[in-house]
Amino acid sequence: MLFLFEDLVLDPGRRELRRGSEDISLEPQVFDLLLHLIQNRDRVVTRDELIASVWQGRIVSESTLASRINAARNAVGDNGQAQRLIKTIQRKGVRFVGAVRERESVSAAAKAGGDTETPAPRHAQDVTFFRTADDVHLAVAASGSGMPVVKAANWLNHIEYDWQSPIWSPLIGLLSDRFRLIRYDERGNGLSDWNVDDLSFDAFVRDLETVVDGFDLKRFALLGISQGASFSIAYAVRHPERVSRLVLCGGYVQGWRRRSSETEIARREALYTLAQHGWGQDNPAFRQVFTSLFIPGGTPEQMQWFNDLQRVSTSPENAVRLFKIFGEIDVSEFLPRISVPTLVLHARGDARVPFEQGLALARSIPGARFVALDSDNHVILSHEPAWHRYIAEITAFLGQANEG
């Protein structure tokens, strides 16, 4: 059984604590203490119980126990003052108070002969930072080998958190098996700088240019999902000589404000208000409205990950700014100018971006191929029937660039 909390994974079978591809070194006693607290997180664990579990009842000083608790806090990014995850209850004991998700390990599932959620990608990812011309630090990740595929950033990305996510890790893993996959967090999101002055369409396109130039990519395939499709379209028009293939999933010609009725605009604006009060918090009203727009067919685990992603991906202030910016996007003037082979995919029941927007993209891009997916999810999930066609179409299309 794996225990997942924040952006960490505790793996008892391998006796590992991981953050993305990074192994966090722990002394054996610290690992055992952390594991015991997490396994018994529904209650306060007494000092005597910890000593019995970790030290098998041997005599242990208060300072030794305190040092191991502090070491466990440091390992998970906590401290004695904040006690965000490991909380001391005066005269009672210690309790792990962080939100924990459990997932069966791959080896356990294999022994049982059953299915489980797709595990984190098998490849290691290398994380680095590039600086833009306006002095914004962008977090960038690369995994796999072969033909480079750049995934343009989309809202609600966090390159470390996505690495473990049951929503994004299946796609990351499959593409990393076949290609050199490059991802990044756009400004205002994830591990990239949050406090930035310029949050605009042009700035997001320049961020993509910064990432491509940072890797010195002469020619590559470009993958754009959701509003990432818009930035990819603009880049492909500006730099057609560098883009071998263009894949657009769940994209749109016009943002919600430009394409919507007055009623729909009012509904979206109400979402702003809800975001200001519910973003990143355990707010049932916001979760029901927001998460269900993206993955209405998600499993409870996937929905919980998506809820947590709100908190770690950006601030409430940035969320509202981004809502407004994406509403004003209009790439209609770019579409007839796209000259690279293009694949457009869109879910028929997408509640976030109407199916008609995907059709409009494909109709306006010369020679584009269109694939309709039988799904209600804005982000296609690995457990649904549409997943297999989604992956087959993308990998086959990208593979043709290698053949060329």
Side-chain angles (χ1 to χ4, degrees):
M1 182 68 69
L2 304 179
F3 298 97
L4 301 93
F5 54 99
E6 297 201 333
D7 57 349
L8 295 160
V9 179
L10 187 70
D11 187 339
R14 295 183 177 180
R15 291 188 65 81
E16 291 178 348
L17 177 66
R18 299 189 296 272
R19 177 179 285 111
S21 60
E22 172 194 4
D23 288 333
I24 299 173
S25 179
L26 289 180
E27 294 181 2
Q29 291 173 347
V30 177
F31 185 93
D32 291 339
L33 184 147
L34 179 60
L35 177 60
H36 190 81
L37 290 176
I38 290 177
Q39 288 176 327
N40 296 278
R41 60 190 180 277
D42 59 332
R43 60 184 177 84
V44 176
V45 177
T46 67
R47 173 188 180 278
D48 290 343
E49 182 181 339
L50 280 175
I51 292 173
S53 174
V54 177
W55 286 273
Q56 288 77 50
R58 296 194 300 272
I59 297 175
V60 175
S61 67
E62 289 290 345
S63 61
T64 297
L65 178 59
S67 71
R68 300 303 187 273
I69 292 173
N70 286 334
R73 285 188 174 122
N74 290 335
V76 299
D78 198 2
N79 58 64
Q81 184 174 11
Q83 298 192 20
R84 189 183 74 259
L85 297 175
I86 300 176
K87 186 176 181 63
T88 297
I89 312 299
Q90 292 298 325
R91 295 185 295 277
K92 297 293 184 181
V94 185
R95 184 180 177 189
F96 192 93
V97 295
V100 178
R101 298 168 299 280
E102 295 183 1
R103 186 189 301 176
E104 189 176 9
S105 66
V106 179
S107 58
K111 289 178 182 177
D115 295 329
T116 186
E117 295 279 2
T118 302
R122 293 182 290 278
H123 304 272
Q125 69 169 355
D126 295 321
V127 176
T128 189
F129 292 85
F130 293 155
R131 181 179 293 183
T132 67
D134 59 340
D135 204 31
V136 174
H137 295 88
L138 300 176
V140 185
S143 55
S145 60
M147 183 190 80
V149 175
V150 176
K151 177 188 171 294
N154 54 272
W155 190 29
L156 291 182
N157 275 159
H158 186 297
I159 56 174
E160 285 283 9
Y161 193 81
D162 293 346
W163 186 253
Q164 300 288 345
S165 165
I167 297 171
W168 289 110
S169 65
L171 178 63
I172 294 169
L174 285 168
L175 292 179
S176 298
D177 283 343
R178 296 165 173 80
F179 311 104
R180 183 189 182 202
L181 179 63
I182 295 169
R183 304 152 37 238
Y184 64 98
D185 292 333
E186 66 189 3
R187 59 180 60 209
N189 286 261
L191 295 179
S192 296
D193 287 347
W194 284 18
N195 298 321
V196 295
D197 293 329
D198 189 2
L199 281 182
S200 65
F201 181 84
D202 286 340
F204 292 135
V205 177
R206 291 196 302 270
D207 288 349
L208 176 53
E209 291 173 331
T210 297
V211 172
V212 172
D213 292 343
F215 281 102
D216 193 26
L217 300 177
K218 305 303 181 187
R219 195 159 173 80
F220 61 94
L222 184 54
L223 169 63
I225 298 174
S226 193
Q227 87 279 353
S230 305
F231 313 145
S232 300
I233 288 166
Y235 185 95
V237 170
R238 294 183 188 182
H239 308 281
E241 75 286 353
R242 302 180 81 166
V243 180
S244 61
R245 298 258 154 175
L246 179 62
V247 179
L248 307 174
C249 308
Y252 47 84
V253 179
Q254 294 179 311
W256 60 267
R257 184 176 291 278
R258 290 181 175 263
R259 69 175 184 253
S260 299
S261 65
E262 291 185 5
T263 301
E264 175 63 13
I265 289 173
R267 189 180 71 84
R268 296 272 186 159
E269 289 177 339
L271 198 59
Y272 292 162
T273 303
L274 199 55
Q276 289 175 314
H277 299 287
W279 188 262
Q281 301 178 24
D282 189 18
N283 184 314
F286 187 78
R287 179 170 60 247
Q288 181 178 355
V289 173
F290 190 79
T291 302
S292 63
L293 286 174
F294 282 85
I295 51 170
T299 65
E301 182 191 20
Q302 288 166 337
M303 289 190 170
Q304 184 59 55
W305 272 84
F306 200 87
N307 294 338
D308 292 343
L309 180 59
Q310 297 170 26
R311 175 178 53 81
V312 301
S313 64
T314 196
S315 65
E317 296 76 17
N318 280 350
V320 172
R321 291 175 69 188
L322 292 165
F323 270 141
K324 294 179 179 178
I325 292 164
F326 299 151
E328 298 293 345
I329 287 177
D330 189 337
V331 296
S332 55
E333 66 174 289
F334 294 119
L335 301 180
R337 298 159 56 192
I338 293 178
S339 59
V340 304
T342 303
L343 172 66
V344 179
L345 304 100
H346 211 103
R348 295 183 189 276
D350 190 337
R352 184 66 182 169
V353 177
F355 182 68
E356 291 73 23
Q357 285 291 307
L359 284 173
L361 281 177
R363 289 167 177 163
S364 302
I365 298 173
R369 182 165 180 268
F370 182 70
V371 175
L373 300 168
D374 291 323
S375 172
D376 293 333
N377 296 309
H378 184 54
V379 178
I380 305 301
L381 303 172
S382 60
H383 70 275
E384 59 178 317
W387 169 260
H388 301 289
R389 187 178 184 194
Y390 177 64
I391 290 300
E393 293 284 356
I394 291 175
T395 54
F397 182 75
L398 294 178
Q400 294 170 12
N402 270 332
E403 297 171 3

